[in-house]
């Protein structure tokens, strides 16, 4: 029986001296930490290019379904390339709070650094860059032009642009391509560096037997290149204005419902094209990730449609989505792939059937399991009701931290949980560990725990509060959080409940043995011993001497090594 575990951590939340997590050494260090902690998965949030200095820079409102976030480009890597200097990066203000992302400062100060790197790169001479542009022209050309025009017109949303370019007319496209040639090339440069660096990081993780769980929003941003360049894919009128927009009725996350404002898909058109855009989107996603979590999966069964004219959730209604027709097409075109169906929110028989028919594992969130008004035990989020084909979470990016959530419960709510696990002695401050334990021991094939929950952090480390736009997506982790002690705690519980990534742990053990053998041979060689048959270096390893002990404490000869071995055996 295959059982796995993983950790949820947004790239933005990685520690960094440059204001936001990125593809620098901290990302590689986190992969190493996952490896020694026995984890199989690193789940991240969407990697898309978000608003530059916007109100909240939500990863679920990206400028493109395909482009990556330039903020994630490692400045240290650019320093190594010689296109930036340490002094230039150190002179920039990225914000004083190491636990919060300041998106306004990033927009003001980080993008100019990237532009400076571009100016020095002579990227037009780079054959890999040329190939990247050729391979990705089908989305990259529109995206780069979109971002360049948007900047040129004072960062106005595309619906406010002059009619010719707003309507994507050919002559206007040609005009701006000529006018903004170097701005367009800069945008392509950033996408090239993003893809290059992310590919290297993903390979590093995969080589350590760790898989990346990516996250794609079901919808695209209303102010994005996808809607501007391909309006036929969406419910727009003859002037390319939205007719209906996305949202949801009241649910566990928002009592009054939510208005997301995303354009809804023209599913009739998608069906006529055999879902070409969706096939392409998922094909590209699996170049970036090993597993794809599809946000708001229920929207493929039914989606909530809100009239754009009112923009109020109370005026919305449910419409039928493409259902299994889409997923049968995806399987036919892409083969079997690993998906996670985010089916949270209002559950209906239709959604349950779609999840079952797709065969995708769905999500279980422990924080939804208890309600003092419900003592029937039938809640589908209670662990005893779980099947195997799902992914259990203590919480998601939209939840409180599990420690913060438990602390905020009423005494009756806390008592209900303690009754469930028959534990009335653990301190409230440590109950988060019991909740993680509950998730790890349940029947679900996969268990994902946010790093904030493993560390027992309070709600100051919460990523997002649905229905709000301020103070979201900005939490950052301190480097000292990833201790060896925490790793050992995570590994112990992962092993205890048969979720350890033994391929990673065995490879780590083998690498350690090889390193020890190499160090022993080096120590023997430095001691001037002829160790052609490697006997002496093996003895050094067996009696537990490291290289420094050998060189500093004793000048070993071959006879001394044998004597040391004999003395060790006698003891």
């Amino acid at each position: 029986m295959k059982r796995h575990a993983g950790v949820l951590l947004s790239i933005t939340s990685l520690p960094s001296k440059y204001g936001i997590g990125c593809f620098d050494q901290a990302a590689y260090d986190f992969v190493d930490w996952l490896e020694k902690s026995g984890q199989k998965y690193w789940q991240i949030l969407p990697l898309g290019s978000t608003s530059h200095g916007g109100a909240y820079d939500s990863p679920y409102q990206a400028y493109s379904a395909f482009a990556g976030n330039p903020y994630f480009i490692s400045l240290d890597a650019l320093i190594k390339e010689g296109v930036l200097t340490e002094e230039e990066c150190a002179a920039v203000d990225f914000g004083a709070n190491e636990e919060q992302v300041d998106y306004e400062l990033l927009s003001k100060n980080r993008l100019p650094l990237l532009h400076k790197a571009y100016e020095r790169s002579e990227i037009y001479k780079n054959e890999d860059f040329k190939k990247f542009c050729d391979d990705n022209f089908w989305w990259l050309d529109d995206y780069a032009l979109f971002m360049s025009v948007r900047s040129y017109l004072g960062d106005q949303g595309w619906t406010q642009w002059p009619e010719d370019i707003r309507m994507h007319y050919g002559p206007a496209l040609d005009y701006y391509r000529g006018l903004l040639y170097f701005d367009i090339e800069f945008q392509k440069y950033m996408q090239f560096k993003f893809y290059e660096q992310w590919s290297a990081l993903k390979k590093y993780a995969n080589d350590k037997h760790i898989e990346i769980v990516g996250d794609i929003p079901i919808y695209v941003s209303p102010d994005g290149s996808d809607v501007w360049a391909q309006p036929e894919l969406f419910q727009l009128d003859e002037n390319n204005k939205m007719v209906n927009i996305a949202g949801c009725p009241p649910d566990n996350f928002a009592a009054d419902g939510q208005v997301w404002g995303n354009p809804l898909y023209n599913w009739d058109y998608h069906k006529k094209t055999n879902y070409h855009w969706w096939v392409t989107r998922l094909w590209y996603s699996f170049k970036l990730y090993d597993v794809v979590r599809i946000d708001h999966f229920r929207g493929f069964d039914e989606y909530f449609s809100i009239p754009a004219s009112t923009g109020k959730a109370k005026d919305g209604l449910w419409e039928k989505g493409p259902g299994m027709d889409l997923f049968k097409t995806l399987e036919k075109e892409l083969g079997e792939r690993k998906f996670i169906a985010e089916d949270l929110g209002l559950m209906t028989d239709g959604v349950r059937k779609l999840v079952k028919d797709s065969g995708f594992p769905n999500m279980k969130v422990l924080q939804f399991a208890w309600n003092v008004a419900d003592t029937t035990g039938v809640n589908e989020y209670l662990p005893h009701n779980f099947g195997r084909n799902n992914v259990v979470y203590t919480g998601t990016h939209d939840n409180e931290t599990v420690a913060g959530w438990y602390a905020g419960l009423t005494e009756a709510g806390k008592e209900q949980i303690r009754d469930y696990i028959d534990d009335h002695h653990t301190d409230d401050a440590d109950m988060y560990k019991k909740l993680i334990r509950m998730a790890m021991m349940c029947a679900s094939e996969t268990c994902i725990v946010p790093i904030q929950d493993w560390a027992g952090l309070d709600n100051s480390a919460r990523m997002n509060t649905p229905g709000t736009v301020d103070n979201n997506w900005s939490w950052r982790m301190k480097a000292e959080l990833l201790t060896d002690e925490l790793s050992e705690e995570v590994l112990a519980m992962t092993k205890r409940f048969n979720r350890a990534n033994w391929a990673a742990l065995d490879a780590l053990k083998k690498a350690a043995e090889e390193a020890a053998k190499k160090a022993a041979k080096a120590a023997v060689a430095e001691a001037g011993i002829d160790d052609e048959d490697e006997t002496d270096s093996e003895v050094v390893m067996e009696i537990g001497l490291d290289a420094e002990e050998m060189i500093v404490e004793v000048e070993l000869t071959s006879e001394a090594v044998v004597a040391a071995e004999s003395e060790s055996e006698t003891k």
Side-chain angles (χ1 to χ4, degrees), residues 2-7 31 33-43 205-206 208-213 290-291 338 440 445-448 490-491 494 499-505:
K2 295 181 179 180
R3 287 166 61 82
H4 306 296
V7 174
V31 171
W33 189 87
L34 291 173
E35 178 188 34
K36 69 181 182 180
S37 303
Q39 303 301 288
K40 170 75 171 178
Y41 297 114
W42 176 6
Q43 181 169 328
N206 290 165
K208 290 178 174 288
H209 305 279
I210 292 169
E211 296 184 7
I212 304 295
V213 179
D290 301 295
V291 184
K338 294 181 181 179
M440 292 289 279
E445 184 173 291
T446 301
C447 175
I448 304 288
V490 173
L491 177 60
T494 304
R499 295 188 183 277
N501 184 353
W502 287 109
L505 293 172

Side-chain angles (χ1 to χ4, degrees), residues 134-306:
D134 289 342
D135 290 346
N136 294 280
F137 75 93
W138 47 273
W139 68 265
L140 183 60
D141 286 359
D142 279 324
Y143 168 78
L145 177 59
F146 173 87
M147 296 300 293
S148 300
V149 172
R150 196 179 189 282
S151 177
Y152 177 73
L153 295 177
D155 288 326
Q156 287 184 336
W158 68 271
T159 58
Q160 304 302 312
W161 294 355
E163 181 181 5
D164 56 352
I165 190 64
R166 174 172 59 82
M167 296 297 291
H168 207 258
Y169 294 151
L173 299 179
D174 292 338
Y175 171 76
Y176 283 103
R177 284 172 186 146
L179 178 67
L180 304 174
Y181 178 85
F182 292 107
D183 300 281
I184 292 169
E185 188 177 65
F186 171 52
Q187 293 294 334
K188 291 181 178 181
Y189 166 79
M190 289 194 291
Q191 290 307 307
F192 170 65
K193 300 311 296 184
F194 169 92
Y195 186 80
E196 180 182 64
Q197 293 184 11
W198 171 248
S199 296
L201 177 58
K202 180 179 180 295
K203 183 179 186 303
Y204 184 81
N206 290 165
D207 287 347
K208 290 178 174 288
H209 305 279
I210 292 169
E211 296 184 7
I212 304 295
V213 179
D215 190 339
I216 67 167
I218 183 175
Y219 297 120
V220 300
S221 171
D223 185 21
S225 59
D226 308 286
V227 188
W228 170 68
Q230 296 179 279
E232 66 278 5
L233 299 176
F234 306 94
Q235 295 183 25
L236 308 183
D237 64 18
E238 63 276 8
N239 295 311
N240 288 354
K241 294 183 178 180
M242 293 185 290
V243 176
N244 298 300
I245 55 178
C248 69
D251 61 12
N252 287 322
F253 287 121
D256 297 324
Q258 301 176 50
V259 179
W260 301 333
N262 307 80
L264 294 172
Y265 294 105
N266 180 350
W267 285 117
D268 289 338
Y269 178 85
H270 284 272
K271 183 176 178 63
K272 290 177 182 177
T273 63
N274 203 30
Y275 303 104
H276 174 75
W277 186 85
W278 272 99
V279 170
T280 304
R281 185 185 187 190
L282 269 301
W283 165 80
Y284 192 78
S285 295
F286 280 107
K287 292 179 66 176
L288 302 177
Y289 318 117
D290 301 295
V291 184
V292 170
R293 171 192 179 274
I294 303 180
D295 190 57
H296 197 61
F297 189 80
R298 68 147 297 116
F300 296 107
D301 173 56
E302 291 181 313
Y303 59 90
F304 199 62
S305 175
I306 300 171

